[in-house]
Amino acid sequence: MNRGIASKLFVTYFAIIITIIVSGLFCLYVLRMNQVTNEEITKVTLPSLDELKELKSLMLDAKKLTNSWAFAKNKRDQEKLNSILIFDFPALIGGLREHGAEWKNKDEVGYLGQIMANNDSVIKNITTITTILNGDEAYVNDTIMEQAENHNYAANKKILANDKLFATLIAIKNQNLATQQQHIASLLKMLYITIFSTIVLAIIISFISLRLSQNKVIKPLLDLNKIILSMATGEVIAVPGSARSDEIGQMQNAISKMVNGVIQKINFAEQIGKGNYDQNFSLLSGSDKLGGALLSMRDDLVKANKILMEQDQQLKDAQRIAKIGNYSYNSIDKKFQSSTTFDEIMGIYKDEDKTLDNWMSLVLPEFKEQVYNTAIKSIKENAPFSEQYVIKQYDTGKEIWVAVKGENILDESGKVTSVFGTMQDITESKTLEIDLNQSYRIATEQNKRLSNFSYIVSHNLRMHTVNINGLLKLYSVSKKEQEKEEIFEMLLKAGERLDETLFHLNEVTAMQGTLKVEIEPLHLSTYIGHALDALNVQIAAKNVIIQNNVKPEDTVNYNPAYLDSIILNLISNAIKYSHPERQPVVSIDFFREFHHLNNYSGILQISDNGIGINMTLNGHKLFGMYKTFHNNKDAKGLGLFMTKYQVDAMGGQITVTSEINKGTTFKVFIK
């Protein structure tokens, strides 16, 4: 603040300070006068009164002693009288003269002079009496006694005169003392009144100053502060101008001008935000940086808007070429917005038809659950979602593949408030992808079958080779012709089985060019017989008991090569992993009486009492390639893997139950 309010406050503070200074000086004067009066009373008046009273008393004592001395000499009275005359009178008279020199009352000084003169006369007469009545003979001398009597009379007369003077002077001194004490009391009263008046006057001036400050300074400042705080929160309120010429008025006028300028800038910014770039306003001054920045921003926006429109057109062209459109959906107000390319992909062009429900109605039924689950997962995990599915265009009904990506905007409670993302027409690429996947699947399947064929060749031919090799060894060591003929017959059978196996393998080879597996009605007992013939050497070597409970009429629809391989593998494993401490028993059964799970037509079951498999440790990898579970040196880990593949290829299922040292049971579910 420079003048106005500062000068008013200065006058107020100056008045308070002057009042306090004057009051303080007066109080100091009163205290000084009180000190002077007290000193006068203490050092002059009171000692003088005491000395007058004591001198009066001494004179009366001297009178009594003189009267006694005049009639008869007495040593005790003589000593007292001498003490009074020699010591007491001079000491009192000296102090009284010293204090009397400071008396200011002329009457008091006059009375004191008379008393001193009379006192001198009294002392002189008493001294004369004591001198002339020195001996006993003086008391008998009439002349001397007459002289003594005359001097005694003169002394008594002066003492009586002094007694009256003492009474008068003491009364005057007492009156002066009372006056001085009253003066001190008046001074103290004036001091209290002055202090009280100063305090009251300072309070009154301060109160008046505070009231004036409240009405003229504080209240206007609070009003301006309220306006400034409102502006700090973003609220802009028009402020009227002020006619005051002081700092408050200047401040209010400045704020009024600033607020009006802000309102103009707000209106300008709102119009700019609406795209009305031809708006303008006047700057508050050459230093109006905000106004200059807004005008510069308008010019920049004009340029940027032009560039943005060009980029928007380029984006639309790019979206049209790439067949990618964008969308946004507000789940609160149900407002759906989309780009032109998005509308072309959906086949929806009217604003009233652009709804989320219409979009979802275009999704083909077989994809709706997939789309729904992906959306739910995206919301739960608060992650972007991406999905590909087929829609039927709204206007043409044409089915096309689309790839949809989006992100969910969630509020604090995890509720979706809006979704935005893109949609791309991927029909061409998806069709190509499907064709490529189909070709890849066919190639993969053919590759698997070729691999499986190699496994069948190596595994099944090996069984026949082992069997023929064993029969040849028996034939070479046999001595009897009948045994040789029986072995030869067995060799012929083994050759026939080998020929059948090769025939079936040729059929499998013919199937490798197609995904379709040829099936035909087959008698299970026939293929079980093939397997037993191929394994007769192993069966004989371990004295295996084969319990074939399959009926001759039991038939299944199966591929001959696969059925041959499956039965051969399972029986071969049962013999290979027989228990060394008991005779091997292999049971073969076929059941049709079971729950029709997955429309299976029957179950082929092969059980043994062998060493078993630890299912806890090995159950999960039982059908894996190259997986072995015993220390058998002949185990390759391919038989069960190949069997599982063949059962799956025929649409079936294979299960196993086993216990260590008790045996194993395989069940093949046949379609």
Side-chain angles (χ1 to χ4, degrees):
M1 300 181 185
N2 297 322
R3 294 182 61 85
I5 295 173
S7 62
K8 294 175 183 177
L9 292 177
F10 176 77
V11 170
T12 302
Y13 297 148
F14 182 77
I16 294 174
I17 292 171
I18 292 299
T19 302
I20 293 173
I21 291 174
V22 171
S23 175
L25 292 174
F26 182 76
C27 289
L28 291 175
Y29 170 76
V30 170
L31 290 174
R32 178 58 184 167
M33 293 299 297
N34 182 64
Q35 182 183 7
V36 170
T37 304
N38 273 326
E39 288 179 354
E40 184 179 355
I41 291 172
T42 304
K43 295 181 179 181
V44 178
T45 303
L46 290 177
S48 298
L49 277 171
D50 292 339
E51 288 169 348
L52 287 172
K53 291 176 182 178
E54 188 174 355
L55 184 60
K56 179 182 178 181
S57 177
L58 283 176
M59 290 185 70
L60 292 175
D61 290 342
K63 178 184 176 183
K64 291 178 182 179
L65 293 171
T66 303
N67 289 335
S68 298
W69 179 271
F71 294 102
K73 184 178 178 181
N74 186 293
K75 185 177 181 179
R76 183 171 61 85
D77 291 340
Q78 184 181 4
E79 291 176 354
K80 289 183 178 181
L81 188 58
N82 288 334
S83 176
I84 290 173
L85 293 175
I86 296 171
F87 299 107
D88 295 340
F89 266 137
L92 283 174
I93 289 172
L96 192 57
R97 287 183 186 279
E98 182 181 349
H99 291 132
E102 297 182 10
W103 291 1
K104 299 177 181 179
N105 191 309
K106 293 181 179 181
D107 293 336
E108 292 178 356
V109 173
Y111 285 126
L112 181 61
Q114 293 178 25
I115 289 172
M116 290 299 178
N118 290 335
N119 187 64
D120 291 340
S121 178
V122 169
I123 293 173
K124 184 178 180 182
N125 286 320
I126 292 174
T127 302
T128 301
I129 291 172
T130 57
T131 301
I132 64 177
L133 294 177
N134 189 25
D136 293 337
E137 65 275 5
Y139 286 95
V140 295
N141 189 325
D142 292 335
T143 302
I144 294 173
M145 287 300 294
E146 184 179 357
Q147 291 177 357
E149 185 178 353
N150 289 334
H151 283 293
N152 187 39
Y153 174 77
N156 287 334
K157 185 177 180 181
K158 293 295 182 182
I159 289 173
L160 290 175
N162 270 356
D163 187 53
K164 291 180 181 180
L165 290 172
F166 273 125
T168 301
L169 184 56
I170 289 172
I172 292 173
K173 294 301 289 184
N174 283 328
Q175 181 64 36
N176 288 340
L177 178 62
T179 302
Q180 288 175 329
Q181 290 175 340
Q182 185 177 4
H183 180 62
I184 290 173
S186 299
L187 288 174
L188 291 175
K189 184 177 181 180
M190 289 177 65
L191 178 64
Y192 297 147
I193 291 173
T194 301
I195 294 173
F196 178 77
S197 299
T198 302
I199 294 173
V200 171
L201 183 60
I203 292 174
I204 292 172
I205 294 174
S206 299
F207 179 77
I208 294 173
S209 176
L210 288 174
R211 291 292 295 177
L212 290 174
S213 298
Q214 183 178 6
N215 294 328
K216 299 295 184 180
V217 179
I218 297 175
K219 188 176 182 300
L221 282 177
L222 289 176
D223 292 339
L224 292 177
N225 182 64
K226 185 177 180 181
I227 293 171
I228 293 172
L229 290 176
S230 298
M231 292 183 66
T233 62
E235 183 180 4
V236 180
I237 303 173
V239 181
S242 174
R244 293 174 59 168
S245 59
D246 57 10
E247 293 86 345
I248 300 294
Q250 295 172 6
M251 187 184 301
Q252 184 168 345
N253 289 331
I255 292 177
S256 175
K257 184 177 180 181
M258 179 186 69
V259 171
N260 290 334
V262 170
I263 292 174
Q264 288 183 6
K265 293 178 178 68
I266 290 173
N267 295 332
F268 174 79
E270 287 178 347
Q271 293 300 318
I272 292 298
K274 294 177 182 179
N276 300 326
Y277 299 124
D278 57 346
Q279 296 295 308
N280 207 340
F281 68 93
S282 300
L283 296 176
L284 296 177
S285 67
S287 302
D288 189 355
K289 293 184 178 181
L290 177 59
L294 285 173
L295 292 175
S296 177
M297 180 189 71
R298 178 199 60 186
D299 297 338
D300 292 341
L301 283 174
V302 171
K303 297 176 183 177
N305 186 61
K306 182 179 179 181
I307 296 173
L308 186 62
M309 291 178 66
E310 294 175 354
Q311 292 177 344
D312 183 62
Q313 185 60 45
Q314 292 174 358
L315 178 61
K316 289 180 179 178
D317 293 340
Q319 287 184 341
R320 179 177 52 79
I321 294 170
K323 296 183 179 180
I324 298 177
N326 57 280
Y327 67 91
S328 65
Y329 174 71
N330 190 311
S331 58
I332 297 176
D333 58 16
K334 309 300 181 184
K335 189 174 181 180
F336 189 93
Q337 294 180 328
S338 58
S339 66
T340 303
T341 307
F342 183 93
D343 297 341
E344 292 175 355
I345 295 172
M346 296 289 292
I348 298 177
Y349 302 98
K350 295 180 180 179
D351 290 338
E352 60 269 18
D353 292 334
K354 295 180 182 181
T355 64
L356 186 62
D357 291 338
N358 275 350
W359 179 359
M360 291 299 102
S361 67
L362 301 181
V363 180
L364 294 190
E366 58 265 31
F367 292 98
K368 285 188 176 181
E369 184 177 357
Q370 169 187 335
V371 174
Y372 175 78
N373 291 336
T374 302
I376 295 298
K377 181 180 179 182
S378 172
I379 294 172
K380 287 183 177 180
E381 297 178 358
N382 190 20
F385 63 87
S386 178
E387 194 58 79
Q388 296 180 357
Y389 51 86
V390 179
I391 64 170
K392 183 181 290 187
Q393 285 185 320
Y394 191 78
D395 56 347
T396 65
K398 179 182 177 182
E399 294 183 1
I400 62 172
W401 277 93
V402 293
V404 179
K405 295 182 179 181
E407 289 191 4
N408 299 309
I409 305 300
L410 310 179
D411 59 15
E412 294 180 355
S413 63
K415 182 180 179 182
V416 177
T417 58
S418 61
V419 183
F420 69 93
T422 62
M423 174 185 283
Q424 181 178 12
D425 182 353
I426 59 170
T427 303
E428 295 179 4
S429 61
K430 193 66 178 180
T431 302
L432 179 60
E433 178 187 344
I434 292 172
D435 293 341
L436 288 174
N437 287 338
Q438 180 70 10
S439 300
Y440 176 76
R441 189 176 67 83
I442 292 173
T444 302
E445 186 66 25
Q446 288 176 343
N447 185 55
K448 288 182 179 179
R449 291 194 175 184
L450 287 172
S451 298
N452 184 50
F453 174 71
S454 67
Y455 296 149
I456 293 175
V457 170
S458 63
H459 193 275
N460 291 7
L461 292 183
R462 181 169 171 269
M463 292 294 183
H464 292 290
T465 303
V466 170
N467 189 41
I468 292 172
N469 188 45
L471 290 174
L472 289 173
K473 287 181 180 179
L474 289 175
Y475 185 84
S476 64
V477 298
S478 178
K479 303 297 183 181
K480 297 179 181 180
E481 288 296 326
Q482 184 177 354
E483 287 181 357
K484 288 185 176 183
E485 289 180 1
E486 291 176 357
I487 292 172
F488 187 76
E489 288 293 329
M490 295 173 67
L491 281 171
L492 289 176
K493 270 189 176 182
E496 291 175 0
R497 298 293 176 262
L498 177 59
D499 184 62
E500 289 180 4
T501 299
L502 290 173
F503 175 76
H504 292 154
L505 291 177
N506 287 331
E507 290 183 341
V508 171
T509 303
M511 289 189 298
Q512 299 311 309
T514 176
L515 290 177
K516 186 177 180 182
V517 180
E518 297 293 337
I519 61 174
E520 57 184 272
L522 304 173
H523 289 278
L524 280 176
S525 57
T526 301
Y527 288 86
I528 293 172
H530 292 173
L532 295 178
D533 288 341
L535 298 169
N536 54 14
V537 174
Q538 292 92 323
I539 293 172
K542 289 190 175 184
N543 194 22
V544 180
I545 298 175
I546 302 296
Q547 296 177 347
N548 184 8
N549 301 316
V550 178
K551 299 175 183 178
E553 65 271 16
D554 288 333
T555 59
V556 293
N557 292 320
Y558 229 76
N559 178 266
Y562 285 0
L563 185 60
D564 202 2
S565 177
I566 292 168
I567 294 174
L568 183 61
N569 273 325
L570 295 178
I571 296 176
S572 172
N573 280 347
I575 296 171
K576 184 184 300 181
Y577 301 112
S578 60
H579 201 285
E581 297 179 0
R582 55 176 172 260
Q583 184 178 13
V585 177
V586 179
S587 298
I588 306 170
D589 296 279
F590 182 73
F591 306 102
R592 290 194 183 275
E593 294 80 8
F594 67 100
H595 297 290
H596 295 281
L597 180 65
N598 294 332
N599 297 319
Y600 293 129
S601 62
I603 299 175
L604 174 63
Q605 177 176 295
I606 298 176
S607 304
D608 63 62
N609 63 343
I611 59 177
I613 302 171
N614 188 332
M615 297 299 292
T616 302
L617 294 177
N618 303 313
H620 64 286
K621 56 183 180 179
L622 192 61
F623 297 102
M625 183 182 291
Y626 304 121
K627 301 295 181 181
T628 59
F629 313 104
H630 303 93
N631 294 324
N632 192 312
K633 63 181 181 179
D634 295 329
K636 304 298 183 182
L638 294 174
L640 289 180
F641 170 77
M642 183 173 63
T643 299
K644 175 72 166 59
Y645 174 80
Q646 292 166 348
V647 171
D648 290 344
M650 295 304 299
Q653 180 182 352
I654 183 169
T655 63
V656 59
T657 57
S658 183
E659 290 186 48
I660 296 294
N661 294 326
K662 288 187 177 181
T664 303
T665 298
F666 285 91
K667 291 183 179 180
V668 179
F669 293 79
I670 300 173
K671 280 284 189 178

